[in-house]
């Protein structure tokens, strides 16, 4: 039977981008639906379990006293294709950035702004990954997910996913109920490029490119990200640790009176999103070290493992930041990373 690759007492250090060294009581890599069904039949989904993709959005604070299920469905399948677009279905375990590069190689547009985001394809819709003016929901068609309660595979279309800023039904009403197995995207052959995000147009200009293609945009995004965000292979981190808060216009105006330089994006008539990174930097946290963790020197939104950090070092640091930003600016930040 295929559960014979189940291991016990495995270190998770290579399975989370923070590089936290905790142990899982049991560990299995799943490559086929039949294995999920076996786990289901053996009652594993009724017991303590943790579903893992690329481990790029979690902070592990304890040894895991249950089974860790690493999702590793592979494959890229073209479902249909015409002059305008291609519909492509991708296994949840595929690496997101490799998919982006594959799309660019084929001249398929739509995800070039999402270059270099760590993690897997299956994790991408969970939190509607986004960067530089684009979110996965802009190219999303449907996904398949294994329902833990019934053992059935269910299809979710765009509407059923109810995507929002760093959010979907898989983080809200269906939290912990499904395992995403395949994701289908519609990529465009005649690209509508999105260079509206300030840093992209500036970087393209600096690169001397005035008529960019999708590869140029991807190169620009890679350049911006690598200059600000730590490479998880070198410095453990999980990207943005906090979400950018949305506040009322009223509250924003008060803040702007005090800090005229505060950056902001209008969400609608009544609400404004402000960069948490700016608040954290203004609060004096950029580059600060706490135990074996720290705030990244180049982007205050990112917490890092300074070497041998425990999950609790990072968690305690994040709590100090939450408290301090609340007392200094009256804003309650929220963590974006899942604490386990
Ligand atoms: N800022 C500071 N200090 C900092 C960081 C940022 O003042 O330490 C200011 C910048 O100067 C700029 C503004 O904040 O005016 C926005 O900064 P940036 O463009 O770096 O974007 P962000 O809002 O900090 C978000 C996403 C990133 C994504 C970028 C680009 C969230 C939580 N984060 O960051 O996503 O790459 O926009 O689109 O929405 C991630 O989710 O892991 C991630 C990296």
């Amino acid at each position: 039977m295929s559960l014979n690759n189940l291991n016990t007492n495995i270190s998770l250090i290579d399975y989370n981008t923070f590089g936290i060294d905790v142990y899982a009581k049991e560990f299995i890599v799943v490559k086929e639906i039949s294995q999920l069904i076996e786990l289901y039949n053996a009652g594993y989904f009724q017991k303590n379990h943790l579903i893992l993709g690329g481990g790029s959005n979690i902070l592990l604070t304890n040894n895991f006293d249950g089974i860790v299920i690493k999702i590793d469905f592979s494959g890229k399948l073209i479902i249909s294709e015409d002059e305008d677009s291609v519909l492509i279905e991708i296994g949840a375990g595929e690496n997101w950035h490799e998919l982006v590069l594959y799309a660019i190689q084929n001249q398929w547009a739509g995800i070039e702004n999402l270059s270099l985001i760590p993690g897997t394809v299956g994790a991408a819709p969970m939190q509607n990954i986004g960067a530089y003016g684009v979110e996965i929901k802009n190219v999303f068609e449907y996904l398949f997910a294994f329902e833990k309660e019934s053992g059935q595979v269910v299809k979710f279309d765009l509407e059923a996913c109810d995507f929002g800023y760093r959010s979907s039904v898989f983080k809200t009403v269906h939290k912990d109920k499904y395992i995403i197995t395949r994701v289908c995207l519609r990529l465009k052959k005649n690209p509508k490029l999105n260079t509206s995000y300030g840093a992209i147009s500036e970087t393209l200009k600096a690169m001397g490119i005035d008529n960019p293609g999708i590869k140029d945009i991807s190169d620009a995004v890679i350049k911006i990200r690598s200059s600000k965000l730590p490479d998880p292979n070198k410095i453990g981190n999980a990207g943005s640790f906090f979400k950018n808060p949305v506040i009322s216009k009223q509250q924003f105006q008060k803040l702007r009176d005090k800090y005229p330089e505060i950056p902001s994006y209008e969400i609608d008539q009544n609400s404004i999103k402000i960069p948490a990174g700016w608040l954290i930097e203004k609060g004096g946290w950029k580059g600060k070290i706490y135990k074996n963790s720290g705030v990244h020197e180049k982007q205050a939104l990112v917490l890092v493992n300074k070497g041998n950090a425990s999950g609790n070092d990072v968690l305690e640091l994040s709590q100090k930041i939450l408290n301090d930003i609340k007392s200094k600016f009256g804003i309650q930040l929220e963590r974006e990373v899942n604490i386990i």
Side-chain angles (χ1 to χ4, degrees):
M1 85 165 196
S2 55
L3 291 186
N4 60 6
N5 65 335
L6 197 144
N7 285 296
T8 53
N9 208 24
I10 291 283
S11 168
L12 296 177
I13 193 164
D14 293 333
Y15 296 101
N16 72 101
T17 59
F18 251 118
I20 306 287
D21 191 12
V22 293
Y23 278 73
K25 190 167 152 199
E26 293 182 288
F27 181 88
I28 189 166
V29 176
V30 165
K31 292 180 180 291
E32 286 166 26
I33 294 281
S34 62
Q35 286 173 289
L36 287 181
I37 293 172
E38 283 191 57
L39 288 166
Y40 173 83
N41 289 336
Y44 274 101
F45 296 123
Q46 282 154 25
K47 296 189 279 192
N48 195 17
H49 64 278
L50 172 67
I51 308 296
L52 210 57
S56 59
N57 207 38
I58 55 165
L59 177 66
L60 298 163
T61 55
N62 279 303
N63 288 331
F64 192 75
D65 188 25
I67 187 167
V68 171
I69 302 167
K70 159 103 180 127
I71 302 301
D72 199 21
F73 294 95
S74 63
K76 302 184 193 84
L77 184 69
I78 295 177
I79 301 292
S80 66
E81 191 170 2
D82 58 27
E83 313 91 80
D84 288 334
S85 68
V86 54
L87 205 58
I88 176 170
E89 218 178 86
I90 312 111
E94 293 282 349
N95 176 275
W96 175 264
H97 181 61
E98 278 169 25
L99 172 69
V100 173
L101 296 180
Y102 171 79
I104 289 167
Q105 241 170 37
N106 285 288
Q107 281 298 317
W108 299 333
I111 51 177
E112 57 281 356
N113 293 46
L114 305 178
S115 295
L116 215 61
I117 295 184
T120 57
V121 169
M126 296 283 290
Q127 55 156 345
N128 183 26
I129 57 167
Y132 308 104
V134 174
E135 292 176 326
I136 192 175
K137 78 168 188 195
N138 304 131
V139 292
F140 181 89
E141 200 78 11
Y142 61 81
L143 61 76
F144 289 112
F146 181 86
E147 189 177 32
K148 293 180 196 174
E149 200 181 304
S150 66
Q152 303 288 316
V153 173
V154 183
K155 188 173 179 179
F156 285 78
D157 63 13
L158 179 67
E159 202 184 330
C161 289
D162 193 24
F163 291 119
Y165 167 60
R166 295 292 191 278
S167 165
S168 74
V169 286
F170 305 104
K171 282 187 89 176
T172 56
V173 288
H174 294 323
K175 190 170 162 52
D176 297 332
K177 292 193 181 141
Y178 290 90
I179 298 168
I180 295 173
T181 56
R182 304 187 71 75
V183 177
C184 183
L185 306 179
R186 186 178 292 283
L187 301 177
K188 295 280 183 195
K189 294 192 178 170
N190 305 301
K192 245 185 40 211
L193 304 181
N194 187 335
T195 56
S196 58
Y197 197 93
I200 291 198
S201 40
E202 284 160 29
T203 306
L204 287 169
K205 223 173 167 184
M207 288 159 69
I209 293 164
D210 36 45
N211 192 12
I214 57 174
K215 169 93 170 53
D216 301 315
I217 297 204
S218 171
D219 287 346
V221 168
I222 290 174
K223 209 168 168 176
I224 303 166
R225 286 189 78 97
S226 341
S227 73
K228 284 193 183 181
L229 299 167
D231 176 354
N233 290 319
K234 296 183 185 134
I235 304 173
N237 77 92
S240 302
F241 197 90
F242 304 97
K243 290 190 204 176
N244 286 335
V246 175
I247 60 174
S248 70
K249 253 195 179 149
Q250 231 179 355
Q251 191 179 8
F252 175 68
Q253 272 151 6
K254 275 193 202 150
L255 273 174
R256 202 176 44 187
D257 289 344
K258 205 162 164 201
Y259 309 101
E261 75 284 12
I262 186 169
S264 63
Y265 320 94
E266 185 167 294
I267 299 289
D268 57 40
Q269 278 201 326
N270 308 312
S271 35
I272 306 270
K273 190 189 272 182
I274 48 178
W278 184 89
L279 294 168
I280 298 168
E281 178 172 353
K282 201 78 190 167
W285 287 96
K286 204 172 190 171
K288 280 271 155 68
I289 292 177
Y290 172 79
K291 294 187 178 170
N292 289 329
S293 68
V295 180
H296 189 52
E297 303 89 6
K298 294 185 192 147
Q299 162 56 289
L301 197 53
V302 178
L303 302 189
V304 294
N305 180 350
K306 295 299 251 184
N308 294 319
S310 73
N312 281 311
D313 294 350
V314 182
L315 185 63
E316 284 165 24
L317 172 60
S318 72
Q319 192 58 50
K320 285 177 184 295
I321 294 172
L322 290 176
N323 297 346
D324 191 51
I325 299 305
K326 175 80 182 157
S327 78
K328 286 191 173 126
F329 302 98
I331 293 176
Q332 185 62 60
L333 291 182
E334 271 177 55
R335 294 184 181 94
E336 198 226 277
V337 167
N338 299 304
I339 312 295
I340 310 290

